[in-house]
Amino acid sequence: MIQVIQAQNVGLAYLEERFNLQLAENDAFFTEWLEKLSEITVLEKQSLDKVKFHFLRLVKHPPLSEETVKLVVLSPILSLAGFYDEPFLIRSEQSIEISADDEGEVVRGRINILIIQEQLWLLVIESKKPSFSVLGAIPQALTYMLANPNPKKPVFGLVTNGSHFTFLKLAQEIINQYAMSDEFTLLKRENELYKVLSVLKKLSEILS
């Protein structure tokens, strides 16, 4: 009998054991969030300042849902990064199913936002409500990334709860390796959405 496991209940230890997943030890594995980041304009900064203001205003009036985070924070940032334009396509609530060989278990879930180009998975985005830990959502995002039907190229991920953002990279080879960026947060005086957008614009450039 096949045991069905929901992706939101999966932990890193499970992924390491079942899917041969390892944290990359080489700092050169994931430099896309660090090196030669794209410049953002004054107008883009003004737009991001509004995003931050709107989100922090809404936080004062809980509860906030995942849908609110996607509407208020993710949608304008993805637009500024160019992911609504050619050659990208956006899919929401994409169902996935993944299983390890001979384990008798299937992991199922639904990707919040998936960005593709000619059916190739490029960027997996997992959005959570503000009360949810970004760290706790990383295994779920990695599960979705492991379900990539075209694993020959690395796939990137972004996990956010509206106030915190972490980027991921996964390369599927004999050993599946992943790495995480530093965490960006809106709870600083500096608007770290500038950095988030810079990374997204860099990804849109190298993936297009």
Side-chain angles (χ1 to χ4, degrees):
M1 183 177 178
I2 299 295
Q3 180 182 2
V4 177
I5 302 171
Q6 297 302 315
Q8 66 264 29
N9 298 324
V10 167
L12 281 175
Y14 178 90
L15 297 178
E16 290 170 356
E17 178 184 351
R18 295 291 197 275
F19 297 97
N20 200 23
L21 182 68
Q22 292 184 11
L23 180 65
E25 297 180 356
N26 186 352
D27 290 339
F29 176 80
F30 188 16
T31 60
E32 289 88 350
W33 72 275
L34 277 172
E35 297 180 352
K36 299 178 180 177
L37 294 182
S38 302
E39 295 289 334
I40 60 174
T41 67
V42 172
L43 288 177
E44 288 171 338
K45 289 181 180 180
Q46 291 174 351
S47 296
L48 294 173
D49 289 342
K50 286 185 179 180
V51 171
K52 180 178 179 178
F53 174 80
H54 291 156
F55 177 79
L56 294 179
R57 174 179 173 271
L58 287 171
V59 167
K60 298 177 183 178
H61 305 277
L64 262 66
S65 66
E66 295 176 24
E67 292 302 318
T68 302
V69 170
K70 286 191 282 188
L71 178 66
V72 175
V73 179
L74 277 175
S75 182
I77 295 177
L78 291 176
S79 178
L80 289 171
F83 284 115
Y84 289 158
D85 302 317
E86 293 288 350
F88 305 111
L89 289 173
I90 288 184
R91 299 284 184 263
S92 63
E93 298 301 322
Q94 187 84 16
S95 297
I96 67 100
E97 184 174 289
I98 184 172
S99 62
D101 294 338
D102 302 322
E103 292 292 343
E105 297 173 340
V106 171
V107 182
R108 290 177 180 163
R110 298 179 71 86
I111 302 172
N112 283 162
I113 300 173
L114 174 64
I115 296 175
I116 63 174
Q117 178 188 356
E118 296 180 351
Q119 304 308 311
L120 294 176
W121 288 23
L122 303 178
L123 180 63
V124 171
I125 301 176
E126 181 61 23
S127 172
K128 294 295 184 184
K129 57 187 178 182
S131 60
F132 200 95
S133 164
V134 167
L135 183 62
I138 287 174
Q140 185 177 353
L142 286 170
T143 300
Y144 298 154
M145 294 162 73
L146 283 164
N148 181 6
N150 300 290
K152 293 182 180 180
K153 293 185 177 181
V155 63
F156 296 91
L158 172 61
V159 179
T160 182
N161 61 2
S163 62
H164 295 75
F165 302 77
T166 298
F167 289 92
L168 304 167
K169 180 180 180 179
L170 172 72
Q172 293 179 260
E173 299 173 350
I174 297 175
I175 296 175
N176 297 319
Q177 288 189 300
Y178 77 99
M180 299 175 288
S181 71
D182 287 349
E183 185 176 76
F184 302 104
T185 175
L186 296 189
L187 306 183
K188 290 183 180 180
R189 185 169 300 174
E190 176 189 359
N191 189 351
E192 292 204 329
L193 286 179
Y194 299 172
K195 296 178 181 177
V196 172
L197 178 59
S198 290
V199 176
L200 285 172
K201 288 180 69 174
K202 170 72 175 295
L203 293 180
S204 72
E205 290 170 2
I206 65 176
L207 294 173
S208 62

